[in-house]
Structure formats: structure tokens, C-alpha cells
Amino acid sequence: MPTDPHATPDAADDGWFPESVAASSDASSDDEFDPAVVERTVDVLADLAGDGAALELAVGTGRLAAPLALRGVPVHGIELSRAMAARVADKPGGDLVEVTIGDMTSARVPGEFAVAYLVFNTIGNVTTQDGQVDCFRTAAAHLRPGGYFVVEVGVPPLRRMPPGQDTVPFTVAPDAAGGGYVGFDRLDVVTQRFTSNHVTVGPDGSGRFRWLPFRYVWPAELDLMARLAGMRLVHRWEGWDRTPFTADSERHVSVWQLAAV
């Protein structure tokens, strides 16, 4: 993991997602928090769950788990950050969600699940290949025969980088008051590590810098991780509307199925 004086988490128990981050996580302007996107995502997950239960790896504040539970799907979540998990019950349906505090690379919870899912690029928060493989093994250990594992993650933006460039901006958003926000990724194509950098500037010129370490992973690499865990690819879409994945897709929603006994 890279070292930087700005990068030390401000709460050791919650790593990169302490109270200071959890407090504003549900106020995000990301498309993923749009109610229409949430509903479409929950539609897919409920369809895959059928008459079974769902397990969310890195459940966060319950953005998806709570509305999925309202659909009548029993939901259990695994979450490393206590600050994030503490907000699940505040959402409609959140009181129906069981949450286990633990690391999604190794945690085990009781029960058997029809679908497990890991969304919104969170597989990249695991910054080693071995750790990402362990996420697939966690999912497989909890799925019933024939169950599904769903991962939503971006496609590495290497086609946007000419030789010698290692930084790709993803948001530049000035505001009318004279401040604004800039987001950019800095990638290391040798290690597949990158940092997601977030710079917020106030109208008085004051600023806040925060960055998160990630490991990017290719679709084909994920397929191999799935095979190591006894699963095979059954769907790969560009998004939750099930649009076909193409060479120009910037992200994918992939579904693997555990072998039936």
C-alpha cells in the first residue's frame, strides 16, 4: 500500500471508512445513489435471489441491502467499518438487515445464500490479487449450489492514457462560489495498484485532500478468480439495465454461478 502523510485513516478500527467518511456517504452525488439506479440494481439482485437469501460483501450504509430487504429478500451484510454499518438500520428496511462486522476476504456468517454481491468498485478496495481471490472464496463459501455471485466494477481506463501518462481525471466540477471538486486516478500499470484522489476546494481557497488505494482488475482476471472458487461466468453486462458489455464499456456487472452439486 502506498505511503503518504495525508493517507493515514483517522480511525484505525474503521480503516479508510471512519466516521468522517460515513457521515457524508449517503449524501454522495454519484449516479449509484440515484433512486432510479438503486431500484434497477435491486431489481436484478431480487431476480437472482428468487426465493433465497442475499449476502452483501461490504454492505456499507445499506444503500442496496435495505431496499432489497423491503422486497422481502432476507439480507445479511458483511462490513469492516463500524461507522458505515451503524447507519444501515436508519434506512427504511435497514432494521431487517443483519450485519456482521468483519473482513470480506475472510469473514463467515451463518446461513446459505442464493446470491452474494459486491458492488460499486469495492473489489478494488482489496489491494492484492490474493485478497481479491479470497473475496470470491468468501462468496462461494456462502452460496447454495447453483447460487450467484455478482460484482460491479469499472474497466481499467488504460486506453485513455498515452505512453508516459499515469493520471486520468474523472471529475472536474467548479462551483459558482469559486470553489469546486477535482477527482483523478493515478495508476501503476506494473503493479495494477492505483490511487483515487479527491480534492475539494472551498470558496475561501481552503482545501481538503483525501485518497484511497485500489487495485484494478480485468474482466478476464475476475473470471479466473471465479473459476478458482468453483464458479463460471453466466452474464456480463455494461450496467444494471443489462445492456450488453462491449469493447467500449467503461464498467461491467458480471454474474458467476457456483456449480450445482
Side-chain angles (χ1 to χ4, degrees):
M1 182 179 297
T3 58
D4 187 285
H6 300 285
T8 303
D10 50 8
D13 288 345
D14 285 343
W16 298 94
F17 299 93
E19 177 61 30
S20 60
V21 175
S24 60
S25 61
D26 289 329
S28 174
S29 60
D30 286 314
D31 290 344
E32 299 290 328
F33 290 82
D34 184 300
V37 174
V38 170
E39 182 177 7
R40 188 160 56 240
T41 304
V42 170
D43 283 344
V44 174
L45 296 173
D47 183 43
L48 292 171
D51 61 356
L55 175 67
E56 181 166 0
L57 308 188
V59 68
T61 64
R63 175 180 67 93
L64 297 177
L68 184 59
L70 279 180
R71 295 280 190 95
V73 178
V75 182
H76 198 123
I78 296 172
E79 176 56 49
L80 186 62
S81 167
R82 294 178 183 274
M84 299 287 276
R87 287 167 165 77
V88 174
D90 295 336
K91 293 179 171 61
D95 58 325
L96 303 173
V97 179
E98 287 191 73
V99 179
T100 294
I101 301 298
D103 188 328
M104 64 184 175
T105 66
S106 57
R108 297 292 184 266
V109 303
E112 188 176 66
F113 299 86
V115 62
Y117 59 97
L118 178 57
V119 298
F120 204 21
N121 297 321
T122 309
I123 185 86
N125 288 128
V126 181
T127 57
T128 67
Q129 187 182 67
D130 285 345
Q132 291 173 341
V133 169
D134 286 340
C135 288
F136 279 80
R137 288 178 172 150
T138 294
H142 291 91
L143 290 175
R144 68 189 186 189
Y148 300 99
F149 183 38
V150 186
V151 171
E152 174 193 26
V153 66
V155 176
L158 300 191
R159 292 173 64 188
R160 296 172 57 190
M161 295 198 311
Q165 179 177 320
D166 65 0
T167 301
V168 178
F170 56 83
T171 302
V172 179
D175 61 39
Y181 165 77
V182 175
F184 61 94
D185 292 331
R186 187 173 185 182
L187 296 90
D188 183 333
V189 298
V190 175
T191 64
Q192 292 183 213
R193 299 284 187 93
F194 73 98
T195 57
S196 180
N197 300 269
H198 307 267
V199 182
T200 304
V201 180
D204 61 352
S206 62
R208 182 174 184 269
F209 173 72
R210 181 172 183 267
W211 66 265
L212 292 172
F214 287 87
R215 180 184 186 270
Y216 68 76
V217 58
W218 298 100
E221 189 179 3
L222 290 169
D223 291 342
L224 184 55
M225 293 179 184
R227 289 186 65 183
L228 291 172
M231 295 182 276
R232 65 180 182 86
L233 182 71
V234 291
H235 300 294
R236 174 159 289 139
W237 305 306
E238 183 174 279
W240 295 102
D241 59 359
R242 309 190 200 213
T243 299
F245 179 78
T246 72
D248 294 320
S249 297
E250 296 183 352
R251 64 171 183 157
H252 61 99
V253 174
S254 294
V255 183
W256 298 272
Q257 187 173 32
L258 185 68
V261 176

